[in-house]
Amino acid sequence: MRNRYRGFATFNMSAPRVRQLFVLLILGTAVLFIITGLFAMVQAERSVHSSLGRFTAHFSTETLLYMMGGEIPYLTSLKEVAENKPRISRMLFEAVTSVDPEDPRSFLGSELPGFALFDTEIAVAGEGVDYTSVPIESSPPPDLEQKLKERDATEEKPKKGEKEEKPASAPDKKQVFIYHTHFTESFLPELKGTDNPDRAYDNHENITKVGKRLGQSLENLGLGSEVSTKGYDVGWNRLYQASRERVVTAMKQNQDLKYFIDIHRDSQRREKTTQTINGETYARIAFVIGTAHKNWEKNEQYARKLHKKMDQLYPGLSKGVFRKSRAMGNGEYNQSISPNSILVEVGGVDNSFKEAYRTADALSKVIAETHFQATPVDARPGSGNQ
């Protein structure tokens, strides 16, 4: 109730109507928070890139922790934050320019093509690998992309006079599914009429041939494989969605599938993608793990096993294991489907099919040995009673 006391208006806070008003206000605030939270969750599920993520991605770790410390006091007590308390001027500078004054790479990242690669994290570095060697995911120029979409999205058949090798005795189970999200990625030495790395794409002479070679080699080693060389009648930015649907379909049709390998071609140049072993040149390999799903560490564990085995059998052939978030591309790469789902870059724009085939044979041996080492002896090919 409202009263006046010495010229001031006073309210009786214990009055029933006031208490009801406060209860309604509190309940309304709670409902508002719940609705806002649900809306934010829905938007997070739908959105590939969140504005907040893009905004905070450019802050240094110390700055981000310090800012969060305003709401979570514990964070400001952390040693790395307490000892490196950012100045207000630095925080404003980072917010406006997306540049970390203490990281020289960020000065150049937005100006030099490809320099933003430092956002990729090197989980395991192969021989001679640094941030200038990390895999680059690039798309064809718009005019070329339109031509590439004209390919019939059907299974690629061997050309006349081109024989498809088949193992003498194919394994009963198909446990490896090989596919190609960026199925038109090609190699300049195999293309006529261009030496432009930005145009190293083709509807027929492309990375799918490397996937077929990998599948054949695996079959020869006793590990059954299924290879999809089909195209996708969608734009470049929807290819991962299309390839995911294909992987899911394959899983439904064959429950024996255990390994899912997406074969790509790197956009790096020859000096970064070639290794000589015993006098022969190979297209170097890179294992890419997307961190945009909760179980990515299991995928990385499998990639680390393959890298380690490859380093034992073919020293220097693997460039290593690389982590990529949504800031560097798709960020998930269909890897939430299975802990044994990986993306493999085989060679770069300047490598040849011969070099990529040697690498496919090497990778098949690595995959097979890793698989059979984890398989009971009685379940291995040829391990039955003699």
Side-chain angles (χ1 to χ4, degrees), residues 274-344:
T274 311
Q275 181 74 7
T276 301
I277 302 175
N278 297 327
E280 290 189 310
T281 52
Y282 288 70
R284 294 192 79 180
I285 267 184
F287 299 100
V288 177
I289 299 301
T291 60
H293 66 101
K294 62 181 181 179
N295 294 319
W296 64 268
E297 290 176 329
K298 294 181 180 179
N299 302 93
E300 183 177 300
Q301 185 179 10
Y302 179 56
R304 283 174 177 264
K305 288 180 181 178
L306 296 181
H307 168 78
K308 184 177 180 181
K309 175 61 67 174
M310 181 160 283
D311 235 19
Q312 293 171 356
L313 300 177
Y314 305 91
L317 184 54
S318 173
K319 293 172 68 173
V321 181
F322 302 86
R323 298 174 189 154
K324 288 195 176 188
S325 66
R326 290 206 188 280
M328 285 303 297
N330 175 270
E332 191 265 347
Y333 306 114
N334 302 331
Q335 292 171 5
S336 60
I337 289 175
S338 164
N340 296 320
S341 176
I342 57 173
L343 187 157
V344 180

Side-chain angles (χ1 to χ4, degrees), residues 33 74 115 127 169 171 222 248 319 322 333 340 353 365 383:
F33 270 104
Y74 166 74
F115 205 85
E127 179 183 307
S169 56
V248 170
K319 293 172 68 173
F322 302 86
Y333 306 114
N340 296 320
F353 278 138
K365 186 174 182 180
S383 61

Side-chain angles (χ1 to χ4, degrees), residues 40-174:
M41 288 173 63
V42 171
Q43 288 298 104
E45 287 293 328
R46 290 180 178 176
S47 183
V48 175
H49 298 282
S50 72
S51 299
L52 180 62
R54 289 196 298 270
F55 179 70
T56 58
H58 299 292
F59 284 109
S60 62
T61 304
E62 294 81 5
T63 299
L64 192 56
L65 286 173
Y66 183 77
M67 292 172 65
M68 293 171 63
E71 298 297 326
I72 310 174
Y74 166 74
L75 293 177
T76 57
S77 67
L78 295 175
K79 183 178 178 181
E80 55 268 35
V81 179
E83 292 181 354
N84 299 282
K85 181 179 177 180
R87 295 186 297 273
I88 298 297
S89 58
R90 173 181 168 181
M91 294 170 63
L92 291 174
F93 186 74
E94 288 185 44
V96 174
T97 65
S98 300
V99 170
D100 179 2
E102 296 185 5
D103 187 350
R105 299 172 304 178
S106 61
F107 281 99
L108 304 173
S110 60
E111 300 300 327
L112 297 182
F115 205 85
L117 288 175
F118 67 80
D119 286 335
T120 298
E121 186 176 352
I122 303 176
V124 182
E127 179 183 307
V129 169
D130 55 25
Y131 276 101
T132 66
S133 311
V134 302
I136 299 175
E137 183 174 318
S138 60
S139 59
D143 66 309
L144 182 59
E145 182 180 354
Q146 184 58 38
K147 292 180 182 179
L148 297 173
K149 283 182 67 177
E150 295 171 2
R151 166 177 164 167
D152 184 19
T154 56
E155 199 76 31
E156 186 74 6
K157 302 296 183 183
K159 292 183 178 180
K160 188 176 181 180
E162 183 178 293
K163 294 183 179 180
E164 186 172 358
E165 295 181 16
K166 292 187 178 181
S169 56
D172 295 332
K173 292 183 179 181
K174 303 292 185 182

Side-chain angles (χ1 to χ4, degrees), residues 210-363:
V210 181
K212 288 172 69 176
R213 177 61 173 253
L214 175 62
Q216 292 164 8
S217 298
L218 285 169
E219 294 264 330
N220 289 332
L221 293 171
L223 187 55
S225 65
E226 180 181 340
V227 184
S228 172
T229 60
K230 292 180 181 179
Y232 308 94
D233 190 20
V234 298
W236 188 268
N237 62 341
R238 296 187 61 240
L239 283 173
Y240 279 106
Q241 180 182 344
S243 65
R244 183 184 184 89
E245 292 173 1
R246 185 161 298 168
V247 173
V248 170
T249 299
M251 294 176 74
K252 291 178 179 178
Q253 293 175 348
N254 180 8
Q255 295 186 358
D256 290 328
L257 290 175
K258 183 177 181 182
Y259 306 101
F260 303 88
I261 304 175
D262 190 3
I263 304 292
H264 289 243
R265 181 267 295 145
D266 194 357
S267 293
Q268 288 273 21
R269 302 310 298 264
R270 185 171 182 82
E271 65 273 11
K272 301 290 185 182
T273 63
T274 311
Q275 181 74 7
T276 301
I277 302 175
N278 297 327
E280 290 189 310
T281 52
Y282 288 70
R284 294 192 79 180
I285 267 184
F287 299 100
V288 177
I289 299 301
T291 60
H293 66 101
K294 62 181 181 179
N295 294 319
W296 64 268
E297 290 176 329
K298 294 181 180 179
N299 302 93
E300 183 177 300
Q301 185 179 10
Y302 179 56
R304 283 174 177 264
K305 288 180 181 178
L306 296 181
H307 168 78
K308 184 177 180 181
K309 175 61 67 174
M310 181 160 283
D311 235 19
Q312 293 171 356
L313 300 177
Y314 305 91
L317 184 54
S318 173
K319 293 172 68 173
V321 181
F322 302 86
R323 298 174 189 154
K324 288 195 176 188
S325 66
R326 290 206 188 280
M328 285 303 297
N330 175 270
E332 191 265 347
Y333 306 114
N334 302 331
Q335 292 171 5
S336 60
I337 289 175
S338 164
N340 296 320
S341 176
I342 57 173
L343 187 157
V344 180
E345 303 272 3
V346 179
V349 290
D350 299 308
N351 290 109
S352 66
F353 278 138
K354 283 187 178 180
E355 292 168 333
Y357 290 163
R358 292 187 188 116
T359 300
D361 293 342
L363 179 59

